[in-house]
């Protein structure tokens, strides 16, 4: 049975959160209930990380498989030793440079943190988010807060309180609405429990930034099949960050990609399929005469990241059957996170043009 409850939504000032609202949210967490709150990356679905029953409610509310561990959020580095053990110097170095911020570090789990936070693993993922509302909630509650993204499992992450409502109304006790999350894609997950540091999920902190402190870091995205050869098994890919519509990801020289996307749009219309196109602003003009919903993502990588999940959700709401989009050519900075989310949304398939 999915965890069900009455959902309340409270507006809170993003920069100067009202103490009485934060107090109420903190009490909700202490009571073992679920609070969705904004972070700088996406909205999180929070529960007291020390309470295995509260943590179980997260999995239930999201319909998330018990095999997928969640991130523990803190407000201060001083709390680190209460959730992790055998903390390497590298973690302290990175914490000093990237926290608060969109970096999650996987460390050895402290025995006080229940196993279901980490899906039974001996590790725990930890981060200090950089958002005044998250910081106030974490400080006032003085709890480590387990929080995955506040979306239904396999749906695009929630970047607004409305997205949280759309997915979790009736399954979360309280939603704190402080407006849209700024970054729009999730944190970088870095595993520090191996011989050398491994990025398991590219995100808000770039690989280049990490390399300045840990030159031996490598990128290994779990469950992700980057090989686009026809023999590659899509079965190895966990469907994730996906709109309901099928997403087709086109890659290659610009002119060729545009021509292939236009051709595909025409073919799909001929089959009576409803078509959505997701595109950077400057490229929208190439699709104008097509019978399709054309939604723009902005210009810079920052704007595109900020809009990505919201635009996927908008296209779903418009009822399109298929979404066409171009693989971004720049894999540096936030580009690596964007490429990862698009590839997952496309279930690992790239159409080479
Ligand atoms: O930006 C974010 O990271 C957001 C906000 C709310 O903090 N949270 C988020 O959580 O995206 P979630 O649960 O949607 O993604 C957490 C990722 C998953 O890919 C999960 O597999 C990985 O972190 N993860 C969590 N704990 C782990 C662990 N102990 N070992 C390896 N990976 C872990
Ligand atoms: Mg998630």
């Amino acid at each position: 049975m999915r965890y069900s409850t009455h959902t309340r939504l409270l507006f809170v000032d993003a920069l100067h959160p009202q103490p009485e609202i934060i107090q109420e949210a903190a009490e909700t967490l202490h009571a073992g209930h679920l609070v969705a709150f904004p972070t700088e990356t996406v909205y999180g679905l929070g529960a007291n990380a020390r309470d295995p029953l509260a943590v179980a409610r997260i999995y239930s509310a999201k319909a998330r498989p018990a095999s997928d561990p969640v991130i523990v959020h803190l407000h201060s580095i001083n709390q680190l030793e209460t959730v992790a053990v055998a903390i390497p110097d590298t973690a302290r170095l990175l914490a000093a440079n990237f926290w608060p911020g969109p970096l999650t570090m996987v460390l050895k789990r402290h025995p006080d943190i229940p196993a279901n936070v980490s899906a039974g693993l001996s590790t725990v993922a930890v981060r200090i988010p950089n958002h005044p509302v998250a910081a106030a909630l974490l400080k006032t509650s003085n709890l480590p807060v387990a929080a995955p993204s506040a979306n239904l499992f396999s749906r695009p992450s929630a970047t607004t309180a409305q997205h949280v409502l759309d997915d979790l109304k009736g399954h979360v006790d309280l939603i704190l609405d402080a407006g849209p999350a700024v970054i729009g894609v999730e944190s970088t997950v870095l595993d520090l429990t191996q011989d050398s540091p491994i990025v398991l999920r590219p995100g808000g902190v770039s690989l280049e930034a990490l390399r300045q402190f840990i030159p031996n870091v490598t990128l290994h995205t779990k469950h992700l099949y980057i090989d686009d050869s026809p023999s590659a098994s899509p079965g190895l890919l966990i469907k994730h960050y996906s709109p309901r519509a099928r997403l087709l990801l086109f890659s290659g020289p610009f002119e060729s990609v545009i021509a292939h996307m236009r051709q595909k749009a025409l073919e799909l219309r001929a089959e009576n399929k409803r078509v959505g196109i997701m595109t950077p602003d400057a490229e929208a003009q190439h699709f104008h005469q097509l019978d399709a919903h054309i939604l723009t993502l902005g210009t810079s990588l920052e704007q595109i990241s900020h809009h990505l999940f919201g635009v996927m959700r908008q296209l779903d709401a418009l009822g399109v059957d298929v979404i066409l989009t171009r693989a971004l050519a720049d894999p540096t900075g936030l580009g690596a996170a964007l490429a990862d989310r698009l590839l997952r949304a496309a279930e690992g398939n790239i159409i080479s043009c």
Side-chain angles (χ1 to χ4, degrees):
M1 262 277 286
R2 199 170 161 206
Y3 172 66
S4 292
T5 182
H6 171 68
T7 297
R8 287 190 312 136
L9 184 135
L10 293 175
F11 292 96
V12 58
D13 193 285
L15 290 180
H16 304 287
Q18 297 84 335
E20 64 281 7
I21 294 176
I22 297 299
Q23 183 62 39
E24 189 166 342
E27 284 166 16
T28 306
L29 288 175
H30 275 279
H33 293 139
L34 302 183
V35 177
F37 61 96
T39 80
E40 77 279 33
T41 55
V42 299
Y43 273 70
L45 178 62
N48 176 1
R50 297 200 184 289
D51 177 350
L53 291 176
V55 171
R57 287 180 169 161
I58 294 178
Y59 287 89
S60 165
K62 283 193 60 147
R64 180 182 177 110
S67 56
D68 197 2
V70 304
I71 297 172
V72 173
H73 297 70
L74 308 177
H75 69 86
S76 160
I77 294 181
N78 296 335
Q79 293 172 289
L80 198 53
E81 281 166 17
T82 68
V83 300
V85 294
I87 300 161
D89 289 344
T90 313
R92 297 191 190 282
L93 175 74
L94 295 173
N97 284 279
F98 293 103
W99 281 354
L103 176 67
T104 295
M105 292 192 261
V106 176
L107 302 168
K108 294 247 181 297
R109 180 164 53 88
H110 192 292
D112 285 355
I113 294 298
N116 67 344
V117 166
S118 300
L121 298 171
S122 61
T123 57
V124 64
V126 190
R127 88 173 183 106
I128 300 184
N130 186 15
H131 191 293
V133 172
L137 177 61
L138 291 162
K139 189 153 197 239
T140 301
S141 67
N142 200 27
L143 291 173
V145 172
S149 49
N151 51 280
L152 263 177
F153 180 68
S154 96
R155 296 278 297 142
S157 292
T159 56
T160 66
Q162 185 60 51
H163 298 159
V164 182
L165 268 179
D166 291 344
D167 281 16
L168 298 174
K169 186 168 185 210
H171 306 281
V172 50
D173 296 277
L174 178 61
I175 302 173
L176 297 181
D177 183 350
V182 172
I183 297 179
V185 294
E186 306 86 343
S187 64
T188 301
V189 179
L190 177 70
D191 188 349
L192 292 176
T193 66
Q194 311 294 317
D195 291 340
S196 61
I198 302 171
V199 168
L200 301 177
R201 177 180 74 181
V205 169
S206 72
L207 221 59
E208 296 80 18
L210 287 176
R211 270 200 200 106
Q212 295 184 353
F213 299 93
I214 40 171
N216 59 339
V217 65
T218 53
L219 176 67
H220 171 86
T221 55
K222 258 190 324 177
H223 313 305
L224 188 58
Y225 220 86
I226 303 189
D227 184 353
D228 64 346
S229 68
S231 61
S233 159
L236 291 179
L237 182 92
I238 280 197
K239 188 172 153 70
H240 218 140
Y241 312 108
S242 304
R244 292 201 174 87
R246 193 153 66 94
L247 187 136
L248 301 182
L249 183 60
F250 295 78
S251 174
F254 182 73
E255 304 294 332
S256 175
V257 164
I258 300 292
H260 278 80
M261 286 173 70
R262 291 189 59 91
Q263 180 59 30
K264 190 69 189 176
L266 292 172
E267 283 171 25
L268 289 164
R269 285 305 298 139
E271 295 167 20
N272 234 352
K273 295 264 173 24
R274 281 161 298 182
V275 177
I277 294 177
M278 212 164 63
T279 174
D281 287 9
E283 296 165 26
Q285 51 173 331
H286 299 292
F287 304 109
H288 269 166
Q289 298 82 4
L290 293 171
D291 179 15
H293 290 286
I294 298 155
L295 296 196
T296 54
L297 292 162
T299 304
S300 62
L301 284 178
E302 284 72 21
Q303 289 169 347
I304 293 172
S305 303
H306 176 76
H307 289 124
L308 182 72
F309 291 137
V311 165
M312 284 183 187
R313 284 172 176 267
Q314 257 178 290
L315 286 167
D316 273 341
L318 288 165
V320 307
D321 300 300
V322 184
I323 299 173
L324 311 183
T325 197
R326 180 169 80 80
L328 297 161
D330 182 3
T332 61
L334 273 175
L338 277 171
D340 171 81
R341 304 311 184 266
L342 284 173
L343 190 56
R344 286 172 192 268
E347 297 184 41
N349 300 309
I350 294 182
I351 300 168
S352 300
C353 306

